[in-house]
Structure formats: structure tokens, C-alpha cells
Amino acid sequence: ASSPLGAIVEADLLDDDALRSAMAGCDTVFHLAANADVRFGTDHPRRDLEQNTIATYNVLEAMRLAGIKRIAFSSTGSIYGEAATIPTPEDAPFPVQTSLYGASKLAGEGLISAYVAGFGFSAYIFRFVSILGERYSHGHVFDFFQALQKDPTKLRVLGNGLQRKSYLYVQDCVDA
């Protein structure tokens, strides 16, 4: 059996029974859930471990038990830490991790790779970077917007002001 691509099923990824129930009848899992608030990782270190790494393990185990062999996983460019080469190629060596979020997503990728090798899964891993859209709710662009609404005459920017960063509009990402 297969589930329609447009069907969205939500389950508590830390609740094994709910997760297995949500996967019933599916042939592909789109694992897009994560705690992506990088800023507060060091304030709540367990949150990234549980909501990213352990949740990914739970998804993989539920898939294995249900006989589902295909996963699409939303990872992040944050796994590259402070990369020496910009733009960073996919085969770049991994530097020291600079966020618990990046480390937790890299651990998720490692688990997926092990399930591919050990259980014959097929995996598609997408390393998204700075996706922005109308529902964007945190991060420095959001903070800049909020600050400019309060006072459009000034904006505090860390660094020397010459920093560069790529962004991708959410609809362009979906279309791709």
C-alpha cells in the first residue's frame, strides 16, 4: 500500500506506538520534524538530542518494524559548522561542530546511513540552508525585521557588516 504524497500525518516522534500507528499503510516517510532553534541549543541541550537525534532513531525503527524502506529527511547545512570553503561542496570535510542542532542533525544522517547499509533502506537527505517565507518565526532575519519595525532608522548588525549569507524562498524550495 502507499499513501498519497499530499497526506500529512503528525505523530509524537518520541511516542513509539503513535509513530507506528501514523505510519500504517505508508511506503515513504517524509521526516521533516526537528527542533531547529539553533540559538537556544546550549540553554536546552537535551532538546536537540531528543527532538532531532532520538526522534530520527524512533522514525527509523518504526519504519523498519513496518517494512517501510524509503525516507526523505530534512537535514541542514549547519552540519558543516564553520566551513572553510564557501559555497560548501557536499563532500567537504566536516569541521568541528559549532551547534548542538548541527551535531544532532549530523547524527541523524549517520543513523539513516546505517539503516541504509544495514536494512536496505533508500534515503534522500536534503541539507536545507536558510529557508525563508511568510511563516518564518525565528532567527536573525526575523530579529532584523522586528527591530526595524520598532525603529526603521537603525539596525544593529554583529560583525563588520560585510558578512554574506544565502537564502532560499520556501516556495522555490518546494518547487525544486
Side-chain angles (χ1 to χ4, degrees):
S2 66
S3 63
L5 182 61
I8 297 174
V9 180
E10 290 185 24
D12 181 347
L13 300 183
L14 300 176
D15 180 338
D16 294 333
D17 292 333
L19 193 52
R20 282 193 292 275
S21 175
M23 287 188 191
C26 295
D27 61 4
T28 301
V29 171
F30 292 84
H31 179 15
L32 308 175
N35 173 48
D37 199 345
V38 178
R39 297 178 298 174
F40 300 113
T42 54
D43 293 340
H44 309 283
R46 188 174 193 92
R47 188 175 296 160
D48 286 316
L49 173 67
E50 288 178 348
Q51 294 182 7
N52 298 344
T53 309
I54 293 172
T56 298
Y57 164 77
N58 290 348
V59 166
L60 292 165
E61 264 303 285
M63 289 174 61
R64 184 181 69 80
L65 294 171
I68 302 168
K69 300 271 189 174
R70 191 169 41 228
I71 183 170
F73 178 67
S74 62
S75 189
T76 176
S78 294
I79 65 165
Y80 296 111
E82 294 298 325
T85 305
I86 306 288
T88 308
E90 289 183 24
D91 60 355
F94 291 109
V96 173
Q97 292 300 305
T98 56
S99 73
L100 293 171
Y101 168 70
S104 71
K105 295 299 270 185
L106 182 56
E109 286 191 26
L111 287 168
I112 291 167
S113 294
Y115 273 70
V116 166
F119 301 110
F121 281 28
S122 295
Y124 306 90
I125 296 174
F126 304 96
R127 291 180 179 159
F128 298 122
V129 178
S130 302
I131 308 295
L132 296 177
E134 291 78 6
R135 295 184 203 157
Y136 186 72
S137 63
H138 66 279
H140 58 277
V141 171
F142 181 80
D143 295 341
F144 286 167
F145 181 76
Q146 298 287 56
L148 288 169
Q149 280 189 317
K150 289 179 185 169
D151 184 352
T153 65
K154 66 180 179 179
L155 180 63
R156 181 172 180 246
V157 177
L158 299 178
N160 63 10
L162 300 175
Q163 303 89 308
R164 294 176 45 188
K165 185 169 176 87
S166 298
Y167 295 93
L168 181 61
Y169 179 57
V170 66
Q171 189 60 56
D172 292 337
C173 181
V174 170
D175 290 346

